Amino acid sequence: MSQRRVVVVGAGMAGVQTAVALREQGFRGTVTVIGAEPHQPYDRPPLSKAVLLGTAEGSAFDVDFEALGLELLLGREALGVRPDAHELDTEAGPVPYDVLVLATGAEPVRLPGTEGVPGVHLLRTLDDAERLRPVLARQHDIVVVGAGWIGAEFATAAREAGCAVTVVEAAERPLAGALPAEVAAPMTSWYADAGASLRTHTRVARVEPGAVVLDDGSRVAAGAVVVGIGARPATAWLAGSGIELGAHGEVVADERLRTSVPDVYAVGDCASFPSTRYGERLLVHHWDNALQGPRTVAANILGEAPSVYDPVPYFWSEQFGRFVQYVGHHASADTTLWRGEPSGPAWTVCWLREDRLIALLAVGRPRDLAQGRRLIEAGAVMDRELLADPARPLKAAVV
């Protein structure tokens, strides 16, 4: 490639893996990774588990930046982009680039009215986890706002630490924004089984010292409040840059993860991309997307073999003693099939479109997930009767 300097904004999984992929694919120019946090770049999944519970001190990436010739500029917040000048503005001054990669991830949504209120926490960064670790160690009464993936994972860790936990959810069930009602319904009992109280159809009216007041007027003791009500792309700093943003504030990327501005790419939680496989634009806030997308970005920066990004999305969650995995995208499914009883310890839900497997949720059935991922990628047509038999391997149901 003719460009000499690639600047990557964001030192999380997507940013670091983009830098690594450039070197692995033979790029010999300058690669600079800029991160807003002062910490050595780290992985996020352990924050809600090992780091939070004190079984690990951190989760730094096992990457030798010096050996790869990668320049790290940490503790520098990006302030804007001036595409005409090919410059990134940062707190420490402008940084010139030939190619810019946006990998700033997502930031947690704050509970309105709680900004600056003592005892109210988010869980996104290493600093967040370190602030919460002594809270768990002191076994405070904890209120978790939101019964999504992060809320469930934090509630799990808090119960393991011996805290009394109340989870407050505005919707009528856990994971209301992620899964259909009939699929999420069996997960409701997991909270009570773990000794956590789940209060649905409930909102927080206000937070007071030592208590949370709910919209029905009841008060719940709270030594700490942890908010997990979603995340949004961290892109506000791009205002005025000319880079197109979507309805959710995400960077709108094309099938090669290029933005609307020349020489600027976007990858990971901050970007959406068109999926030919699913016939719609996808915005995926999960670790695997931040791992896979950088390879496409690197290949397209090098330009020798243009690469299209059309993955089968994948994520996992460990909650209440269960390993939950999801692969695909079920929005366009016309059929839902169950493998196993949802009241049991292990079961799978399969989503089909015209008898092709397009998505799968596996609870305690990792083999189903592994086989299902390959079958979705292959666009396999399935025999419904065989697919619904949990005693048969998924691959045995291929027509």
Side-chain angles (χ1 to χ4, degrees), residues 227-321:
V227 179
I229 55 175
R232 57 181 162 229
T235 58
W237 64 281
L238 293 172
S241 67
I243 296 170
E244 182 184 357
L245 302 181
H248 301 284
E250 83 282 8
V251 179
V252 175
D254 68 6
E255 71 281 359
R256 296 185 188 175
L257 299 180
R258 299 172 297 192
T259 73
S260 61
V261 168
D263 302 321
V264 180
Y265 293 77
V267 65
D269 289 6
C270 72
S272 66
F273 55 89
S275 171
T276 300
R277 185 190 308 275
Y278 291 106
E280 62 181 284
R281 178 167 287 274
L282 300 182
L283 175 59
V284 181
H285 282 183
H286 293 296
W287 184 90
D288 192 64
N289 178 51
L291 175 67
Q292 303 296 338
R295 298 168 191 163
T296 297
V297 171
N300 288 319
I301 288 174
L302 286 161
E304 296 170 2
S307 179
V308 169
Y309 190 58
D310 195 7
V312 175
Y314 165 74
F315 71 88
W316 79 97
S317 176
E318 295 177 67
Q319 50 185 270
F320 307 116

Side-chain angles (χ1 to χ4, degrees), residues 6 18 103 108 131 165 184 197 228 248 344:
V6 176
T18 297
R131 280 190 289 266
V165 177
S197 172
H248 301 284

Side-chain angles (χ1 to χ4, degrees), residues 111 144-148 167-174 176 198-204 215 229:
L111 187 64
V144 179
V145 185
V167 181
V168 178
E169 170 57 52
E172 73 279 6
R173 64 184 187 275
L198 174 63
R199 300 184 62 165
T200 56
H201 288 291
T202 305
R203 295 179 181 273
V204 173
D215 57 1
I229 55 175

